[in-house]
Amino acid sequence: MSHSLAPNRMQECEIDVMGDSEDDESVVLTAQQSSDSEGGVASMSMADINIHHRQSRTRATSSRRRLAKKCICLLTVSVFIAALTTYLLQDRIDVLDNPLLDWLGLHPAWVLETSDDLSEYGSDLLVYRHVKTDAKLAALIPKQPTPGEDKAFGIGFRTKPTSSNGVAHILEHSVLCGSKKYMAKDPFVYLLKGSLHTFLNAFTYPDRTLYPVASRNRQDFLNLIDVYLDAVFNPRCVTEEGWWVLKQEGWRYVDEGDGLEVRGVVHSEMLGAYSDPDEVLYQTSQSLIFPDSAYFWDSGGAPLEISSLTREEYVSFYNRHYHPTNSKTFVTGDSNDVADVLHILDGYLKNYEFDGAIRDESRIPYQVKKFDEPVRASKPYPSGEDDIDEDDSGGGRNLLITWLINDDTHQLSAVEELALIVLDDMMLGSSSSVLEKALMDSGLGDETFSDGIDRTLIQMVFQVGMKGIKDEEGVLQVEEVIMKTLFSLADDGFDGDDIKASLNSIEFALRDYSGGNEPKGIGLYTRVMNKWNYDIHPIEALAFEDTLSQLKDIVAETGSDIFQNLIKDYLLNNSHRTILDLYPDPNMEAEQLKEEKKHLADVQKRFKPQELQDVLDESKSLEKIQSADDPPDAVAAIPSLSLSDLDRNEVEFPIFIEEDVFGSDATLVSHIVPSSSGIAYIDFGFDISNIQYEDIPLLPFLQRMMMETGTKNLTDIELDRLIGMHTGGIGVDRIIETITPDGAIDRVVSSSTKLRTMLFIQGKCMADKARKMFPMMFDILTSTNLDSPKKATQILRETISAIESNIQSDGDDYATRRIMAKFSVPGFLGEQWSGSAQLAVVKDLL
């Protein structure tokens, strides 16, 4: 998202166009006057055109004459089976309770329960059930696999908290500290050295724990899966030999001369989280809106409660949740990948029996909507003196209003859910959205909390608020602005073009399932778990065509009525809401430290001398374990790729490069993205190497001004509306690339003194909308309204608030950025644009 004080003429322009439908051809032909391939994607930058031809495999068999009849017979049966399988799976015949299909199953330990044609993703969605344990596995198999595409896998467990001791979070860390087959203390450190993974992580949600991985290499994919499965089903942390893992990852007592202290990876992580006012605000709001639910507790762990976790509770929680009957597994890839996963997974599941009690115990109950009137609460948070200064930079009070949308007495229909998402976008989706704009124009705070609809839990919530409010009176005024705007929208409704814009934006987001910075299979897995975690079929999380069509029909018939009714029913007439005012207390941190020291001193007094010595000896034993090398056989057991595992057939995307396109001195590069669903991705890149040194830190500010102030021809509201109606989004970004000298040896670090620095305006749209998007991009580039002092001040205050908040929650990132600025030019520029140096620049501007 950036641009610089643009020079009068383009020194270098790169264009990239991408898409995937016959309509895309018009874009490519217009840009290049050539290309007769199917599909297309456009992107503007050093581009490529990729044409993928389907390859067919043929098999030839021969046999001796004596076996000819038998072979022909077997071949006939094989062809019949293959044809029948294709017919059943592609033509969507009901396959339930079909004994023939069971015989054709990919693995005898699994039964295919459902098969759906997921046309939205060009894939089949198959759900399997493990016969012995009733574990479930969902497989998303593309009908036409894209060469080089990521294979993704994830296994998850419903982990319902009953306290804030953080046991679910601690176990997420713990199971990755060695297992029965892979005994190294941290097998993933070694695994990463010999892996080509494209994703490897683990997540603790308020009610589930997920372990996803992805890779493009088949053997690597299988290696990652096996290490993860052994970790979750055979972890050393719950064995006697693994006593130390809870001490390391969870908590332990140490004494370095000043009395007892609590240490531990998760404990330290949550201390950092609870020092962030935003984290405190959201967690407190969740506890208030869900007073009788599992969501009342913090599954990540409250620092003061983590040290209450006993080993018995830790092991018991593992046994009650990390069981196949309580698991949900997801895989994307071709049928061979799915067959491999079914086989590997059964190797672990066959050691268990079905346990329905475990599944029942882990179910998440609904919170009943029971408030007769909204619940108000005020809570302090530890702060410095700056947080309570009433100057031009605002104050330190934060307000968050939360509504509980539904409960078990009223389940939302698919159309209602989608309509709420569209409503959220119309109210808070951009800087010109009605509620967002009303809050920022009020001048009552520095930045909005515009999370809106949250669909990741069993019940939906809606949240909106503001940070950086000066005083208590300002908090009441912000609440008044929110409620007044909602009442106005309920009475007057939304402009027809605003509805079209948000509908288009949401539809585009549904169709553009590329996954962003993560493999798309990982994004689809987390989306599936938003429903499947509550035993709702995965198809409900992925299919959207029918629901979208129904909503469009309703809007066409009734206009804004459906959205006005949603505001009335779920917001204005809904008393189950909370209003939380979080205010700064500069003395709170010192008081908390004093209280913690007193608590630890009391703990130390309760220990008998030998008990205290045993506790401290455990910590010293842990230090010895941590410093010891892993045995060679434990390291050797961890799988790694060999040269023979690498695919020698490179996946190449043919590109088309045209110099001086349209006589503009620009270079056009275009390439086809086969799986782009008919979407064109267009990037215009400009050389910004001639920007003066003192102006470099201003680029992030300029980027936001370009996208949020409108143009000479369009107001910010009009521009946002057009972008929403015709595109999937337009933005401004910048890149820094080190230029490798000619003849340089691959993988040798260069001096980083020669760089390519470029500013990009980027957009994406359906291919047939490209001609509508180009004029918008041109308008932003050539006539941005930079003469808007009020908007500039608003952007600067938001930036200050965001950076200060991020430094509190992610201080290590800012420290690292500061250090890297000393070692390379790209590191220096990164610090100027995104580090603590940017905070100083923005404060000077304000």
Side-chain angles (χ1 to χ4, degrees):
M1 303 173 155
S2 92
H3 193 155
S4 55
L5 303 173
N8 291 329
R9 83 180 189 82
M10 295 183 288
Q11 295 193 356
E12 181 176 348
C13 173
E14 299 187 301
I15 309 177
D16 223 12
V17 190
M18 311 165 161
D20 175 40
S21 73
E22 292 188 4
D23 291 336
D24 298 10
E25 302 256 348
S26 60
V27 179
V28 178
L29 286 171
T30 300
Q32 314 172 167
Q33 307 300 317
S34 66
S35 176
D36 55 359
S37 62
E38 284 189 24
V41 168
S43 71
M44 295 185 165
S45 142
M46 298 268 335
D48 329 296
I49 298 184
N50 292 22
I51 307 171
H52 294 281
H53 298 286
R54 299 190 187 105
Q55 297 180 349
S56 61
R57 300 176 182 176
T58 59
R59 296 181 179 178
T61 57
S62 62
S63 64
R64 301 177 61 169
R65 177 176 288 183
R66 293 185 59 170
L67 299 176
K69 290 185 179 180
K70 289 184 179 180
C71 290
I72 292 171
C73 182
L74 288 172
L75 182 59
T76 303
V77 171
S78 299
V79 171
F80 170 74
I81 290 173
L84 181 58
T85 302
T86 302
Y87 181 65
L88 288 171
L89 295 182
Q90 292 187 353
D91 291 345
R92 310 278 59 84
I93 283 186
D94 185 7
V95 296
L96 296 180
D97 302 320
N98 189 322
L100 180 57
L101 191 64
D102 289 344
W103 176 57
L104 296 173
L106 292 174
H107 195 283
W110 298 85
V111 173
L112 179 63
E113 284 196 323
T114 61
S115 173
D116 292 282
D117 177 9
L118 202 56
S119 59
E120 290 90 338
Y121 304 101
S123 302
D124 289 311
L125 177 63
L126 311 179
V127 176
Y128 291 89
R129 177 177 59 83
H130 190 250
V131 176
K132 189 176 181 184
T133 64
D134 206 42
K136 301 298 175 65
L137 179 144
L140 193 65
I141 305 176
K143 297 179 186 296
Q144 296 178 9
T146 302
E149 194 162 38
D150 293 277
K151 309 169 191 295
F153 168 89
I155 185 165
F157 303 89
R158 199 157 51 203
T159 47
K160 181 176 71 174
T162 55
S163 74
S164 294
N165 62 16
V167 60
H169 187 187
I170 294 169
L171 273 169
E172 176 226 306
H173 284 243
S174 298
V175 300
L176 305 180
C177 293
S179 60
K180 183 178 179 180
K181 189 185 295 187
Y182 307 109
M183 290 292 291
K185 295 190 297 291
D186 192 345
F188 291 91
V189 170
Y190 299 102
L191 184 66
L192 296 183
K193 295 178 181 178
S195 169
L196 295 174
H197 70 281
T198 53
F199 193 89
L200 182 66
N201 212 331
F203 307 113
T204 300
Y205 287 75
D207 58 10
R208 58 190 178 273
T209 307
L210 308 183
Y211 297 89
V213 299
S215 179
R216 295 176 182 176
N217 179 278
R218 181 173 180 273
Q219 187 57 52
D220 188 41
F221 184 56
L222 300 181
N223 291 346
L224 294 168
I225 290 172
D226 194 54
V227 175
Y228 252 0
L229 289 178
D230 204 57
V232 298
F233 288 120
N234 299 312
R236 70 193 305 183
C237 64
V238 293
T239 66
E240 289 186 10
E241 184 274 333
W243 64 269
W244 54 271
V245 179
L246 172 58
K247 304 293 182 183
Q248 172 181 281
E249 302 298 324
W251 72 277
R252 64 188 182 277
Y253 288 127
V254 299
D255 186 352
E256 296 182 349
D258 295 326
L260 287 184
E261 294 180 34
V262 178
R263 299 276 178 86
V265 174
V266 171
H267 182 266
S268 297
E269 180 182 331
M270 297 312 295
L271 277 175
Y274 272 67
S275 69
D276 178 8
D278 292 359
E279 179 71 24
V280 175
L281 187 75
Y282 284 117
Q283 183 55 49
T284 305
S285 292
Q286 182 170 298
S287 296
L288 289 172
I289 204 72
F290 291 105
D292 310 314
S293 165
Y295 302 135
F296 175 83
W297 310 107
D298 184 355
S299 63
L304 294 178
E305 295 186 47
I306 287 174
S307 58
S308 69
L309 175 63
T310 66
R311 179 159 183 81
E312 291 72 25
E313 291 175 298
Y314 173 78
V315 174
S316 174
F317 191 92
Y318 172 82
N319 290 331
R320 289 183 289 110
H321 294 86
Y322 282 67
H323 188 281
T325 306
N326 190 45
S327 70
K328 299 284 197 304
T329 302
F330 180 85
V331 59
T332 62
D334 60 31
S335 57
N336 291 326
D337 299 322
V338 175
D340 288 336
V341 171
L342 292 173
H343 174 73
I344 295 172
L345 188 53
D346 177 62
Y348 288 93
L349 303 190
K350 66 184 180 183
N351 300 316
Y352 294 81
E353 300 291 338
F354 169 74
D355 191 336
I358 283 180
R359 179 181 292 166
D360 292 340
E361 182 186 348
S362 72
R363 285 197 168 95
I364 309 299
Y366 279 84
Q367 169 66 55
V368 176
K369 293 170 67 174
K370 65 176 188 178
F371 297 165
D372 294 327
E373 57 184 28
V375 171
R376 295 181 178 275
S378 293
K379 182 175 180 176
Y381 70 89
S383 66
E385 292 293 337
D386 291 344
D387 292 310
I388 56 175
D389 287 344
E390 296 186 13
D391 55 18
D392 289 340
S393 64
R397 296 185 88 103
N398 299 331
L399 172 73
L400 188 65
I401 305 179
T402 305
W403 283 263
L404 183 62
I405 298 298
N406 63 306
D407 61 14
D408 58 350
T409 64
H410 177 73
Q411 300 290 344
L412 295 171
S413 68
V415 172
E416 283 181 307
E417 280 196 32
L418 184 57
L420 281 166
I421 295 168
V422 175
L423 174 64
D424 178 16
D425 187 74
M426 287 193 290
M427 294 197 296
L428 296 167
S430 71
S431 60
S432 65
S433 296
V434 185
L435 187 50
E436 174 81 12
K437 186 173 176 59
L439 285 169
M440 292 309 302
D441 286 351
S442 72
L444 294 168
D446 295 334
E447 189 179 358
T448 61
F449 291 108
S450 52
D451 296 69
I453 288 290
D454 180 0
R455 298 184 297 152
T456 60
L457 306 179
I458 194 171
Q459 292 167 266
M460 292 176 71
V461 298
F462 179 82
Q463 295 183 305
V464 64
M466 204 166 201
K467 64 166 58 175
I469 305 170
K470 291 183 181 297
D471 50 34
E472 191 171 1
E473 181 182 353
V475 170
L476 296 175
Q477 290 174 329
V478 170
E479 181 185 353
E480 183 181 355
V481 170
I482 292 171
M483 299 309 296
K484 184 177 179 180
T485 304
L486 291 176
F487 273 110
S488 175
L489 290 172
D491 291 338
D492 303 331
F494 295 88
D495 182 88
D497 283 344
D498 287 336
I499 297 174
K500 289 179 184 177
S502 287
L503 264 175
N504 179 74
S505 295
I506 299 304
E507 178 178 359
F508 199 98
L510 291 170
R511 298 192 187 285
D512 182 27
Y513 61 101
S514 57
N517 293 326
E518 63 188 20
K520 70 180 182 183
I522 300 298
L524 294 174
Y525 169 50
T526 55
R527 187 190 299 182
V528 161
M529 291 306 294
N530 289 339
K531 294 290 186 183
W532 206 18
N533 193 58
Y534 315 112
D535 301 322
I536 299 171
H537 196 283
I539 194 71
E540 300 299 326
L542 297 177
F544 61 82
E545 290 287 8
D546 291 344
T547 304
L548 181 63
S549 178
Q550 291 176 50
L551 180 57
K552 286 181 176 180
D553 290 344
I554 293 171
V555 170
E557 183 177 344
T558 65
S560 181
D561 287 359
I562 184 173
F563 304 110
Q564 292 170 255
N565 290 333
L566 289 174
I567 293 174
K568 294 173 185 175
D569 293 343
Y570 295 116
L571 300 179
L572 296 179
N573 298 330
N574 179 5
S575 59
H576 196 104
R577 73 174 183 266
T578 60
I579 300 102
L580 176 60
D581 170 22
L582 200 69
Y583 61 90
D585 182 349
N587 301 316
M588 186 176 178
E589 184 174 6
E591 291 171 357
Q592 286 179 334
L593 289 172
K594 183 179 179 180
E595 182 182 343
E596 184 180 5
K597 275 187 170 294
K598 182 180 181 303
H599 167 71
L600 291 172
D602 291 341
V603 169
Q604 187 164 349
K605 288 177 183 178
R606 290 197 296 269
F607 279 124
K608 294 177 181 179
Q610 187 57 50
E611 290 175 336
L612 178 60
Q613 189 59 50
D614 290 343
V615 168
L616 298 179
D617 287 345
E618 274 190 342
S619 293
K620 292 179 180 178
S621 297
L622 170 62
E623 291 176 6
K624 292 180 180 179
I625 292 173
Q626 290 173 326
S627 60
D629 292 333
D630 287 306
D633 57 340
V635 176
I638 297 168
S640 61
L641 293 177
S642 63
L643 288 175
S644 62
D645 295 323
L646 302 181
D647 186 357
R648 303 282 178 166
N649 300 316
E650 294 184 5
V651 177
E652 294 189 7
F653 298 92
I655 65 171
F656 181 88
I657 301 176
E658 185 176 352
E659 304 289 348
D660 192 25
V661 64
F662 312 131
S664 65
D665 289 336
T667 301
L668 171 65
V669 187
S670 56
H671 65 94
I672 294 172
V673 175
S675 58
S676 72
S677 303
I679 297 171
Y681 301 85
I682 301 169
D683 302 334
F684 285 96
F686 302 90
D687 181 9
I688 55 173
S689 60
N690 64 337
I691 288 182
Q692 296 300 307
Y693 172 80
E694 59 270 18
D695 292 331
I696 289 174
L698 301 178
L699 280 173
F701 174 53
L702 179 63
Q703 290 173 227
R704 288 198 60 182
M705 290 288 288
M706 290 177 69
M707 292 307 306
E708 297 181 29
T709 59
T711 68
K712 303 294 185 191
N713 305 311
L714 298 167
T715 67
D716 56 338
I717 296 176
E718 292 170 336
L719 179 61
D720 268 355
R721 185 181 293 160
L722 282 175
I723 289 173
M725 288 173 65
H726 300 296
T727 80
I730 295 176
V732 184
D733 203 357
R734 59 187 180 271
I735 66 164
I736 313 170
E737 290 182 345
T738 301
I739 297 176
T740 304
D742 292 339
I745 301 173
D746 287 346
R747 302 190 180 280
V748 173
V749 178
S750 69
S751 62
S752 300
T753 56
K754 294 185 177 180
L755 305 173
R756 173 185 290 248
T757 51
M758 302 194 72
L759 188 76
F760 279 88
I761 181 166
Q762 303 168 322
K764 53 186 177 180
C765 62
M766 301 308 294
D768 60 353
K769 292 291 187 77
R771 287 187 177 83
K772 291 186 178 293
M773 186 167 72
F774 283 130
M776 295 181 228
M777 300 173 85
F778 181 78
D779 209 19
I780 292 169
L781 282 171
T782 59
S783 61
T784 295
N785 179 22
L786 299 177
D787 186 17
S788 180
K790 181 179 179 181
K791 188 65 177 179
T793 300
Q794 193 179 99
I795 289 172
L796 291 172
R797 290 178 63 181
E798 283 184 34
T799 303
I800 291 171
S801 176
I803 294 176
E804 289 180 339
S805 177
N806 290 339
I807 287 176
Q808 285 186 297
S809 60
D810 302 305
D812 56 331
D813 289 343
Y814 282 83
T816 301
R817 211 173 278 125
R818 190 77 173 178
I819 293 170
M820 296 303 295
K822 304 291 184 181
F823 292 96
S824 69
V825 176
F828 173 79
L829 293 176
E831 165 66 9
Q832 294 295 308
W833 288 333
S834 308
S836 55
Q838 177 68 193
L839 179 61
V841 170
V842 175
K843 282 187 172 182
D844 287 344
L845 288 175
L846 189 60

